[in-house]
Amino acid sequence: MTFSIVARSADGETWGVAVASKFLAVGSAVPAAVAGVGAIATQADANVAWKGLALAHLDEGATAPVALQRLLEEDPGYQHRQAGIVDLDGNAASHTGTECIPWAGGRTGDGYAIQGNCLAGPEVVEAMEEAWLASDATAPLQDRLVAALAAGDEAGGDRRGRQSAAIMVVREEAGYGGRDDVAVDLRVDDHAAPIEELRRLLALHEL
């Protein structure tokens, strides 16, 4: 019932997550990121504890695939879970449990992990990957993430419909007054066109 993209910028200085779903306030559950460490999206029958656990594993030096494997080994309900992780160096890993609502699956590449469940079909993650790869690698990460999210939505997105969307982007000293690392943290909790609204908020944020 959710689709997301987790990614690192081409310059290796920014990490982020963008997500959309037919689910109230998806941004409260799915994304987490720490500058200089990595980012994760946890969804489907989400285990929100995976966010802190994954980031801790990454902070201790684990790669994204190793961190993901540890999460799976520690959680007997892993077949109901879905997650994407990108680490400090841009290594990516994605997991889709066999009990996730179909269509469910994901794609990974250099610096990105894309995944979704309860989707219109595989064309959703395919469109997201195409949009990500076609985007300008020098553009702000948040713009690239939202473009990929919008492409997935246009390809059918969550087959139940639309309700919420969110984006989180981190970079060292990018937050308010340079006193934290949160460059962007925007959520649309309940809206008929959440990705369009997210884009509107992002434009205001950038102003």
Side-chain angles (χ1 to χ4, degrees), residues 4 16 18 34-35 51 58 69 71 75 89-90 92-93 112 135 149 154 158 160 162 166 171 188 190 195 198 202:
S4 66
V34 173
K51 294 188 287 186
L58 296 178
Q69 186 59 38
L71 295 180
D75 186 348
D89 298 316
Y112 68 90
S135 62
L149 201 65
E154 291 167 6
D158 187 326
R160 301 172 310 152
R162 302 175 177 90
R171 186 176 66 255
V188 178
D190 185 24
I195 297 175
L198 190 65
L202 184 58

Side-chain angles (χ1 to χ4, degrees), residues 50 68 72 78-84 93-98 100 115:
W50 277 16
L68 179 59
L72 302 182
Y78 72 95
Q79 293 292 14
H80 297 270
R81 322 284 191 219
Q82 190 172 50
S94 183
H95 163 74
T96 299
T98 58
C100 291
Q115 46 282 315

Side-chain angles (χ1 to χ4, degrees), residues 41-121:
T42 177
Q43 55 200 54
D45 184 4
N47 183 342
V48 295
W50 277 16
K51 294 188 287 186
L53 291 169
L55 291 170
H57 291 321
L58 296 178
D59 194 35
E60 291 167 358
T63 63
V66 169
L68 179 59
Q69 186 59 38
R70 290 178 182 173
L71 295 180
L72 302 182
E73 290 172 352
E74 296 164 358
D75 186 348
Y78 72 95
Q79 293 292 14
H80 297 270
R81 322 284 191 219
Q82 190 172 50
I85 303 175
V86 173
D87 64 27
L88 171 67
D89 298 316
N91 301 302
S94 183
H95 163 74
T96 299
T98 58
E99 298 302 316
C100 291
I101 300 171
W103 188 88
R107 291 190 169 207
T108 60
D110 185 16
Y112 68 90
I114 297 168
Q115 46 282 315
N117 63 92
C118 197
L119 301 184

Side-chain angles (χ1 to χ4, degrees), residues 9 11-15 33-38 59 88 169-184:
S9 62
D11 64 9
E13 296 182 358
T14 311
W15 294 259
V34 173
V37 175
D59 194 35
L88 171 67
V169 173
V170 296
R171 186 176 66 255
E172 289 187 2
E173 299 182 353
Y176 187 78
R179 295 183 178 89
D180 69 22
D181 298 335
V182 181
V184 181

